[in-house]
Amino acid sequence: MAKRPLYLARASYRRHRLIDAARLLPVLGAVLFILPVLWAPRPGEVRSLATDGLYVFAAWGLLILGARLLVRALSAPGGEGD
């Protein structure tokens, strides 16, 4: 019976963590998009729809950038031997 290694190879471990990050990206996006709804304005303060809209588009852009970086890292050659 062959002994199995206790730890994964560094490249394989890194690839698994990148896949985990890609799976968590939609959850992060949902949390980021819900945040403006949870921000309660102070009493007497008017809520600015423009500020909330800018926040949503900035969060959307960051999610797109994060997805692009993850795809680039996952599609890079090497680390294929799981």
Side-chain angles (χ1 to χ4, degrees):
M1 194 159 128
K3 287 187 176 183
R4 298 177 72 193
L6 184 59
Y7 299 104
L8 292 173
R10 184 178 301 257
S12 178
Y13 179 80
R14 183 173 184 270
R15 183 166 178 80
H16 283 282
R17 296 298 71 87
L18 286 171
I19 291 170
D20 291 343
R23 288 179 181 158
L24 284 176
L25 197 62
V27 176
L28 175 66
V31 170
L32 287 175
F33 287 152
I34 289 174
L35 276 178
V37 175
L38 298 177
W39 288 334
R42 294 182 186 101
E45 184 179 314
V46 178
R47 188 177 183 118
S48 172
L49 187 61
T51 304
D52 290 348
L54 288 174
Y55 170 81
V56 167
F57 280 112
W60 183 43
L62 287 174
L63 287 170
I64 291 171
L65 179 65
R68 180 174 182 196
L69 292 173
L70 283 171
V71 166
R72 179 179 281 177
L74 284 171
S75 65
E80 297 290 328
D82 284 74

Coordinates of all heavy atoms in Angstrom, one line a residue:
M1 N 0.8 -1.2 0.0 CA 0.0 0.0 0.0 C 0.9 1.2 0.0 O 1.8 1.4 0.9 CB -0.9 0.0 1.2 CG -2.0 1.0 1.2 SD -3.2 0.4 2.4 CE -3.5 1.9 3.3
A2 N 0.7 2.1 -1.0 CA 1.5 3.3 -1.1 C 1.1 4.4 -0.1 O -0.1 4.5 0.2 CB 1.4 3.9 -2.5
K3 N 2.1 5.0 0.4 CA 1.8 6.1 1.4 C 1.4 7.4 0.6 O 2.0 7.7 -0.4 CB 3.1 6.4 2.2 CG 3.4 5.4 3.2 CD 4.5 5.9 4.1 CE 4.8 4.9 5.2 NZ 5.8 5.4 6.1
R4 N 0.4 8.0 1.1 CA -0.1 9.3 0.5 C 0.6 10.4 1.2 O 0.8 10.4 2.4 CB -1.6 9.4 0.6 CG -2.3 8.2 -0.1 CD -3.8 8.3 0.2 NE -4.3 9.4 -0.6 CZ -5.5 10.0 -0.5 NH1 -6.3 9.5 0.4 NH2 -5.9 11.0 -1.2
P5 N 0.9 11.4 0.4 CA 1.6 12.6 1.1 C 0.6 13.3 2.0 O -0.6 13.3 1.8 CB 2.0 13.5 -0.1 CG 1.1 13.1 -1.2 CD 0.7 11.6 -1.0
L6 N 1.2 13.8 3.1 CA 0.4 14.5 4.1 C -0.1 15.9 3.6 O -1.2 16.3 3.9 CB 1.3 14.7 5.3 CG 0.6 15.3 6.5 CD1 -0.6 14.5 7.0 CD2 1.5 15.4 7.7
Y7 N 0.7 16.5 2.7 CA 0.4 17.8 2.2 C 0.3 17.8 0.7 O 1.0 17.0 0.1 CB 1.4 18.9 2.7 CG 1.5 19.0 4.2 CD1 2.5 18.5 4.9 CD2 0.5 19.7 4.8 CE1 2.6 18.6 6.2 CE2 0.6 19.9 6.2 CZ 1.6 19.3 6.9 OH 1.7 19.5 8.2
L8 N -0.5 18.7 0.1 CA -0.5 18.8 -1.3 C 0.7 19.6 -1.8 O 1.3 20.3 -1.0 CB -1.8 19.6 -1.7 CG -3.1 19.0 -1.5 CD1 -4.2 20.0 -1.8 CD2 -3.3 17.7 -2.4
A9 N 1.0 19.4 -3.0 CA 2.1 20.2 -3.6 C 1.7 21.6 -3.6 O 0.5 22.0 -3.6 CB 2.4 19.7 -5.0
R10 N 2.7 22.5 -3.6 CA 2.4 23.9 -3.5 C 1.6 24.5 -4.6 O 0.6 25.2 -4.4 CB 3.8 24.7 -3.4 CG 3.6 26.2 -3.2 CD 4.9 26.9 -3.2 NE 5.7 26.4 -2.1 CZ 6.0 27.1 -1.0 NH1 5.4 28.2 -0.8 NH2 6.7 26.6 -0.1
A11 N 1.8 24.1 -5.8 CA 1.0 24.5 -7.0 C -0.4 24.0 -6.9 O -1.3 24.8 -7.2 CB 1.7 24.1 -8.3
S12 N -0.6 22.8 -6.5 CA -1.9 22.2 -6.4 C -2.7 22.9 -5.2 O -3.9 23.2 -5.4 CB -1.8 20.7 -6.1 OG -3.1 20.2 -6.0
Y13 N -2.0 23.1 -4.1 CA -2.7 23.8 -3.0 C -3.1 25.2 -3.4 O -4.2 25.6 -3.1 CB -1.7 23.9 -1.8 CG -2.3 24.6 -0.6 CD1 -3.1 24.0 0.2 CD2 -1.9 25.9 -0.4 CE1 -3.6 24.6 1.3 CE2 -2.5 26.6 0.7 CZ -3.3 25.9 1.6 OH -3.8 26.6 2.6
R14 N -2.2 25.9 -4.1 CA -2.6 27.3 -4.6 C -3.7 27.3 -5.5 O -4.6 28.1 -5.4 CB -1.3 27.9 -5.2 CG -1.5 29.4 -5.6 CD -0.2 30.0 -6.2 NE -0.4 31.4 -6.5 CZ -0.8 31.8 -7.7 NH1 -1.0 31.0 -8.7 NH2 -0.9 33.1 -7.9
R15 N -3.8 26.3 -6.4 CA -4.9 26.2 -7.4 C -6.2 25.9 -6.7 O -7.2 26.5 -7.0 CB -4.6 25.1 -8.4 CG -5.6 25.0 -9.5 CD -5.1 24.2 -10.6 NE -6.1 24.0 -11.6 CZ -6.4 24.9 -12.5 NH1 -5.7 26.0 -12.6 NH2 -7.3 24.7 -13.4
H16 N -6.2 25.1 -5.6 CA -7.4 24.8 -4.9 C -7.9 26.0 -4.1 O -9.1 26.3 -4.1 CB -7.1 23.7 -3.9 CG -7.2 22.3 -4.5 ND1 -8.3 21.7 -4.9 CD2 -6.1 21.5 -4.9 CE1 -8.0 20.5 -5.4 NE2 -6.7 20.4 -5.4
R17 N -7.0 26.8 -3.6 CA -7.4 28.1 -2.9 C -7.9 29.1 -3.9 O -8.8 29.8 -3.6 CB -6.2 28.7 -2.1 CG -5.6 27.8 -1.0 CD -6.6 27.5 0.1 NE -7.7 26.6 -0.2 CZ -7.7 25.2 -0.1 NH1 -6.6 24.6 0.3 NH2 -8.7 24.5 -0.3
L18 N -7.4 29.1 -5.1 CA -7.9 30.0 -6.1 C -9.3 29.6 -6.5 O -10.2 30.5 -6.8 CB -7.0 30.1 -7.4 CG -5.7 30.9 -7.2 CD1 -4.8 30.6 -8.4 CD2 -6.0 32.3 -7.0
I19 N -9.5 28.3 -6.6 CA -10.9 27.8 -7.0 C -11.8 28.2 -5.8 O -13.0 28.6 -6.1 CB -10.8 26.3 -7.2 CG1 -10.1 26.0 -8.5 CG2 -12.3 25.7 -7.3 CD1 -9.8 24.6 -8.8
D20 N -11.4 28.0 -4.6 CA -12.2 28.4 -3.4 C -12.6 29.9 -3.5 O -13.7 30.3 -3.2 CB -11.5 28.1 -2.1 CG -11.4 26.6 -1.9 OD1 -12.2 25.8 -2.5 OD2 -10.6 26.2 -1.0
A21 N -11.6 30.7 -3.9 CA -11.8 32.2 -4.0 C -12.9 32.5 -5.1 O -13.7 33.3 -4.9 CB -10.5 32.9 -4.2
A22 N -12.8 31.7 -6.2 CA -13.7 31.9 -7.3 C -15.1 31.5 -6.9 O -16.1 32.2 -7.3 CB -13.3 31.1 -8.5
R23 N -15.2 30.5 -6.0 CA -16.6 30.1 -5.5 C -17.1 31.1 -4.6 O -18.4 31.3 -4.5 CB -16.4 28.8 -4.9 CG -16.2 27.6 -5.8 CD -16.1 26.3 -5.1 NE -15.9 25.3 -6.1 CZ -15.3 24.1 -5.7 NH1 -15.0 23.9 -4.5 NH2 -15.1 23.2 -6.7
L24 N -16.3 31.8 -3.8 CA -16.8 32.8 -2.8 C -17.0 34.2 -3.5 O -17.7 35.0 -2.8 CB -15.8 32.9 -1.7 CG -15.8 31.8 -0.7 CD1 -14.7 32.0 0.3 CD2 -17.1 31.7 0.0
L25 N -16.6 34.4 -4.7 CA -16.8 35.7 -5.3 C -18.2 36.1 -5.4 O -18.6 37.3 -5.1 CB -16.1 35.8 -6.6 CG -15.8 37.1 -7.2 CD1 -14.9 37.9 -6.3 CD2 -15.2 37.0 -8.6
P26 N -19.2 35.3 -5.8 CA -20.6 35.7 -5.9 C -21.1 36.0 -4.5 O -22.0 36.9 -4.3 CB -21.3 34.5 -6.4 CG -20.3 33.7 -7.2 CD -19.0 33.9 -6.4
V27 N -20.7 35.3 -3.4 CA -21.1 35.6 -2.1 C -20.6 37.0 -1.7 O -21.4 37.8 -1.1 CB -20.6 34.5 -1.1 CG1 -21.0 34.9 0.3 CG2 -21.2 33.2 -1.5
L28 N -19.4 37.3 -2.0 CA -18.8 38.6 -1.7 C -19.6 39.7 -2.4 O -19.9 40.7 -1.9 CB -17.4 38.7 -2.1 CG -16.7 40.1 -2.0 CD1 -16.6 40.5 -0.5 CD2 -15.3 40.0 -2.6
G29 N -20.0 39.4 -3.7 CA -20.8 40.3 -4.5 C -22.1 40.6 -3.9 O -22.6 41.7 -3.8
A30 N -22.8 39.6 -3.4 CA -24.1 39.7 -2.8 C -24.0 40.6 -1.5 O -24.8 41.5 -1.3 CB -24.7 38.4 -2.4
V31 N -23.0 40.3 -0.7 CA -22.8 41.2 0.5 C -22.5 42.6 0.1 O -23.1 43.5 0.8 CB -21.6 40.6 1.4 CG1 -21.2 41.5 2.5 CG2 -22.0 39.2 1.9
L32 N -21.7 42.8 -0.9 CA -21.3 44.2 -1.3 C -22.6 44.9 -1.8 O -22.7 46.1 -1.6 CB -20.2 44.2 -2.3 CG -18.8 43.9 -1.8 CD1 -17.9 43.8 -3.0 CD2 -18.4 44.9 -0.8
F33 N -23.4 44.2 -2.5 CA -24.6 44.9 -3.1 C -25.7 45.1 -2.0 O -26.5 46.0 -2.2 CB -25.2 44.1 -4.2 CG -24.4 44.1 -5.5 CD1 -24.4 43.1 -6.4 CD2 -23.6 45.2 -5.8 CE1 -23.6 43.1 -7.6 CE2 -22.8 45.3 -6.9 CZ -22.8 44.2 -7.8
I34 N -25.7 44.4 -1.0 CA -26.7 44.5 0.1 C -26.3 45.7 1.1 O -27.2 46.3 1.7 CB -26.9 43.2 0.8 CG1 -27.7 42.2 -0.1 CG2 -27.7 43.4 2.1 CD1 -27.8 40.9 0.5
L35 N -25.0 46.0 1.1 CA -24.6 47.0 2.1 C -25.3 48.3 2.0 O -25.6 48.9 3.0 CB -23.0 47.2 2.0 CG -22.2 46.2 2.7 CD1 -20.7 46.5 2.5 CD2 -22.5 46.2 4.2
P36 N -25.5 48.9 0.8 CA -26.2 50.2 0.8 C -27.6 50.2 1.4 O -28.0 51.1 1.9 CB -26.2 50.6 -0.7 CG -25.1 49.8 -1.3 CD -25.0 48.5 -0.5
V37 N -28.2 49.0 1.3 CA -29.6 48.9 1.8 C -29.5 48.9 3.4 O -30.4 49.4 4.0 CB -30.2 47.6 1.3 CG1 -31.6 47.4 2.0 CG2 -30.4 47.6 -0.2
L38 N -28.4 48.4 3.9 CA -28.3 48.3 5.4 C -27.8 49.6 6.0 O -27.9 49.8 7.2 CB -27.3 47.1 5.7 CG -27.7 45.7 5.3 CD1 -26.6 44.7 5.6 CD2 -29.0 45.4 6.0
W39 N -27.2 50.5 5.2 CA -26.8 51.7 5.7 C -28.0 52.6 6.0 O -28.8 53.0 5.2 CB -26.0 52.5 4.7 CG -24.6 52.0 4.4 CD1 -23.8 51.2 5.3 CD2 -23.8 52.1 3.2 NE1 -22.6 50.9 4.7 CE2 -22.6 51.5 3.4 CE3 -24.1 52.8 2.0 CZ2 -21.6 51.4 2.5 CZ3 -23.1 52.7 1.1 CH2 -21.9 52.1 1.3
A40 N -28.2 52.8 7.3 CA -29.3 53.6 7.7 C -28.9 55.1 7.8 O -27.9 55.4 8.4 CB -29.8 53.2 9.1
P41 N -29.7 56.0 7.2 CA -29.3 57.4 7.3 C -29.6 57.9 8.7 O -30.4 57.4 9.4 CB -30.2 58.1 6.3 CG -31.3 57.1 6.1 CD -30.8 55.8 6.3
R42 N -28.8 58.9 9.1 CA -29.1 59.5 10.4 C -30.4 60.2 10.5 O -30.9 60.6 9.4 CB -27.9 60.5 10.7 CG -26.6 59.8 10.9 CD -25.5 60.9 11.2 NE -24.2 60.3 11.2 CZ -23.4 60.4 10.3 NH1 -23.6 61.0 9.2 NH2 -22.2 59.8 10.3
P43 N -31.0 60.4 11.6 CA -32.3 61.1 11.7 C -32.2 62.5 11.1 O -31.3 63.2 11.4 CB -32.6 61.1 13.2 CG -31.8 60.0 13.8 CD -30.6 59.9 12.9
G44 N -33.1 62.8 10.2 CA -33.1 64.1 9.5 C -32.2 64.2 8.3 O -32.2 65.2 7.6
E45 N -31.5 63.1 8.0 CA -30.6 63.1 6.8 C -31.3 62.4 5.7 O -32.1 61.5 5.8 CB -29.4 62.3 7.2 CG -28.3 62.3 6.1 CD -27.1 61.5 6.5 OE1 -26.6 61.7 7.6 OE2 -26.6 60.7 5.7
V46 N -31.2 63.0 4.5 CA -31.8 62.5 3.3 C -30.8 61.5 2.6 O -29.6 61.8 2.5 CB -32.1 63.6 2.3 CG1 -32.7 63.1 1.0 CG2 -33.1 64.6 2.9
R47 N -31.3 60.4 2.3 CA -30.4 59.4 1.6 C -30.1 59.7 0.2 O -31.0 60.1 -0.6 CB -31.1 58.0 1.7 CG -30.3 56.9 1.2 CD -31.0 55.6 1.4 NE -30.1 54.5 1.0 CZ -29.7 53.6 1.9 NH1 -30.2 53.5 3.1 NH2 -28.9 52.6 1.5
S48 N -28.9 59.6 -0.2 CA -28.5 60.0 -1.5 C -28.4 58.8 -2.5 O -27.6 57.9 -2.3 CB -27.1 60.7 -1.5 OG -26.6 60.9 -2.8
L49 N -29.3 58.8 -3.4 CA -29.4 57.7 -4.4 C -28.1 57.7 -5.3 O -27.7 56.7 -5.7 CB -30.6 57.8 -5.2 CG -30.9 56.6 -6.1 CD1 -31.1 55.3 -5.3 CD2 -32.2 56.9 -6.9
A50 N -27.6 58.9 -5.6 CA -26.4 59.0 -6.4 C -25.2 58.4 -5.7 O -24.5 57.6 -6.4 CB -26.1 60.5 -6.7
T51 N -25.1 58.6 -4.5 CA -23.9 58.0 -3.7 C -24.1 56.5 -3.7 O -23.1 55.7 -3.9 CB -23.9 58.5 -2.3 OG1 -23.8 59.9 -2.3 CG2 -22.7 58.0 -1.6
D52 N -25.3 56.0 -3.4 CA -25.5 54.5 -3.4 C -25.3 54.0 -4.8 O -24.7 52.9 -4.9 CB -26.9 54.2 -3.0 CG -27.2 54.5 -1.5 OD1 -26.2 54.7 -0.8 OD2 -28.3 54.5 -1.1
G53 N -25.7 54.7 -5.9 CA -25.4 54.2 -7.2 C -24.0 54.1 -7.6 O -23.5 53.1 -8.2
L54 N -23.2 55.1 -7.2 CA -21.8 55.1 -7.4 C -21.1 54.0 -6.7 O -20.2 53.3 -7.2 CB -21.2 56.4 -7.0 CG -21.5 57.6 -7.9 CD1 -20.9 58.9 -7.3 CD2 -20.9 57.4 -9.3
Y55 N -21.6 53.7 -5.4 CA -21.0 52.6 -4.7 C -21.3 51.3 -5.4 O -20.4 50.4 -5.5 CB -21.6 52.6 -3.3 CG -21.3 51.3 -2.5 CD1 -20.0 51.2 -1.9 CD2 -22.2 50.2 -2.5 CE1 -19.7 50.0 -1.3 CE2 -21.8 49.1 -1.8 CZ -20.6 49.0 -1.2 OH -20.3 47.8 -0.6
V56 N -22.5 51.1 -5.8 CA -22.9 49.8 -6.5 C -22.0 49.6 -7.8 O -21.5 48.5 -8.0 CB -24.4 49.8 -6.8 CG1 -24.7 48.6 -7.8 CG2 -25.2 49.6 -5.5
F57 N -21.8 50.7 -8.6 CA -21.0 50.5 -9.8 C -19.5 50.3 -9.4 O -18.8 49.6 -10.1 CB -21.2 51.7 -10.7 CG -22.4 51.6 -11.5 CD1 -23.5 52.5 -11.3 CD2 -22.6 50.7 -12.5 CE1 -24.7 52.4 -12.1 CE2 -23.7 50.6 -13.3 CZ -24.8 51.4 -13.0
A58 N -19.1 50.9 -8.4 CA -17.7 50.7 -7.9 C -17.5 49.2 -7.5 O -16.5 48.6 -7.8 CB -17.3 51.6 -6.8
A59 N -18.5 48.7 -6.7 CA -18.4 47.3 -6.2 C -18.5 46.4 -7.4 O -17.8 45.4 -7.5 CB -19.5 47.1 -5.2
W60 N -19.3 46.7 -8.4 CA -19.5 45.9 -9.6 C -18.1 45.8 -10.3 O -17.7 44.8 -10.8 CB -20.6 46.5 -10.4 CG -20.9 45.7 -11.7 CD1 -21.0 44.4 -11.8 CD2 -21.2 46.3 -13.0 NE1 -21.4 44.1 -13.1 CE2 -21.5 45.2 -13.8 CE3 -21.2 47.6 -13.4 CZ2 -21.8 45.5 -15.2 CZ3 -21.5 47.8 -14.8 CH2 -21.8 46.7 -15.6
G61 N -17.5 47.0 -10.5 CA -16.2 47.0 -11.2 C -15.1 46.2 -10.4 O -14.3 45.5 -11.1
L62 N -15.1 46.3 -9.1 CA -14.2 45.5 -8.3 C -14.4 44.0 -8.5 O -13.5 43.2 -8.6 CB -14.2 45.9 -6.9 CG -13.6 47.3 -6.6 CD1 -13.8 47.7 -5.1 CD2 -12.1 47.3 -6.9
L63 N -15.7 43.6 -8.5 CA -16.0 42.2 -8.7 C -15.5 41.7 -10.1 O -15.0 40.6 -10.3 CB -17.5 42.0 -8.6 CG -18.0 42.1 -7.1 CD1 -19.5 42.0 -7.1 CD2 -17.4 40.9 -6.3
I64 N -15.7 42.6 -11.1 CA -15.3 42.2 -12.5 C -13.8 42.1 -12.5 O -13.2 41.1 -13.1 CB -15.8 43.3 -13.5 CG1 -17.3 43.2 -13.7 CG2 -15.1 43.1 -14.8 CD1 -17.9 44.3 -14.5
L65 N -13.1 43.0 -11.9 CA -11.6 43.0 -11.8 C -11.1 41.7 -11.1 O -10.2 41.1 -11.5 CB -11.1 44.2 -11.1 CG -9.6 44.3 -11.0 CD1 -8.9 44.4 -12.4 CD2 -9.2 45.6 -10.2
G66 N -11.8 41.4 -9.9 CA -11.4 40.3 -9.2 C -11.6 39.0 -10.0 O -10.8 38.1 -9.9
A67 N -12.8 38.9 -10.7 CA -13.0 37.7 -11.5 C -12.0 37.6 -12.6 O -11.5 36.5 -12.9 CB -14.4 37.8 -12.1
R68 N -11.6 38.7 -13.2 CA -10.6 38.6 -14.3 C -9.3 38.1 -13.7 O -8.6 37.3 -14.4 CB -10.5 40.0 -14.9 CG -9.4 40.0 -16.0 CD -9.3 41.3 -16.7 NE -8.3 41.1 -17.8 CZ -7.8 42.1 -18.4 NH1 -8.1 43.3 -18.2 NH2 -6.9 41.9 -19.4
L69 N -8.9 38.6 -12.6 CA -7.6 38.2 -12.0 C -7.7 36.7 -11.6 O -6.7 36.0 -11.8 CB -7.3 39.0 -10.8 CG -6.9 40.5 -11.0 CD1 -6.8 41.3 -9.7 CD2 -5.7 40.6 -11.9
L70 N -8.8 36.3 -11.1 CA -8.9 34.8 -10.8 C -8.9 34.0 -12.0 O -8.2 32.9 -12.0 CB -10.2 34.6 -10.0 CG -10.2 35.0 -8.5 CD1 -11.6 34.9 -7.9 CD2 -9.2 34.1 -7.7
V71 N -9.6 34.4 -13.1 CA -9.6 33.6 -14.3 C -8.2 33.5 -14.9 O -7.7 32.5 -15.3 CB -10.6 34.2 -15.3 CG1 -10.3 33.6 -16.7 CG2 -12.0 33.9 -14.9
R72 N -7.5 34.7 -14.9 CA -6.1 34.7 -15.4 C -5.2 33.8 -14.6 O -4.4 33.0 -15.1 CB -5.5 36.1 -15.4 CG -4.1 36.2 -15.9 CD -3.6 37.6 -15.9 NE -4.2 38.2 -17.1 CZ -3.9 39.5 -17.3 NH1 -3.2 40.3 -16.5 NH2 -4.5 40.0 -18.4
A73 N -5.3 33.8 -13.3 CA -4.5 32.9 -12.4 C -4.8 31.5 -12.6 O -4.0 30.6 -12.6 CB -4.6 33.3 -11.0
L74 N -6.1 31.2 -12.8 CA -6.5 29.7 -12.9 C -6.2 29.2 -14.3 O -6.0 28.0 -14.5 CB -8.0 29.6 -12.7 CG -8.4 29.7 -11.2 CD1 -9.9 29.7 -11.0 CD2 -7.9 28.5 -10.5
S75 N -6.2 30.1 -15.3 CA -5.9 29.6 -16.7 C -4.4 29.6 -17.0 O -4.0 29.2 -18.1 CB -6.7 30.4 -17.7 OG -6.2 31.7 -17.7
A76 N -3.6 30.0 -16.1 CA -2.2 30.0 -16.3 C -1.6 28.6 -16.4 O -2.1 27.7 -15.7 CB -1.4 30.8 -15.2
P77 N -0.7 28.3 -17.3 CA -0.1 27.0 -17.4 C 0.6 26.6 -16.1 O 1.2 27.5 -15.4 CB 0.8 27.1 -18.6 CG 1.1 28.5 -18.8 CD -0.1 29.3 -18.2
G78 N 0.7 25.4 -15.9 CA 1.4 24.9 -14.7 C 0.4 24.6 -13.5 O -0.6 25.2 -13.5
G79 N 0.8 23.8 -12.6 CA 0.0 23.4 -11.5 C -1.2 22.5 -11.9 O -2.2 22.4 -11.2
E80 N -1.1 21.9 -13.1 CA -2.2 21.1 -13.5 C -2.2 19.7 -12.9 O -3.3 19.0 -12.9 CB -2.2 20.9 -15.1 CG -2.3 22.2 -15.8 CD -3.8 22.8 -15.7 OE1 -4.7 22.0 -15.6 OE2 -3.9 24.0 -15.7
G81 N -1.1 19.3 -12.4 CA -1.0 17.9 -11.9 C -1.6 17.8 -10.5 O -0.9 17.9 -9.5
D82 N -2.9 17.5 -10.4 CA -3.6 17.4 -9.0 C -3.3 16.0 -8.5 O -3.6 15.0 -9.0 CB -5.1 17.7 -9.1 CG -5.3 19.2 -9.3 OD1 -5.1 19.7 -10.3 OD2 -5.7 19.8 -8.3

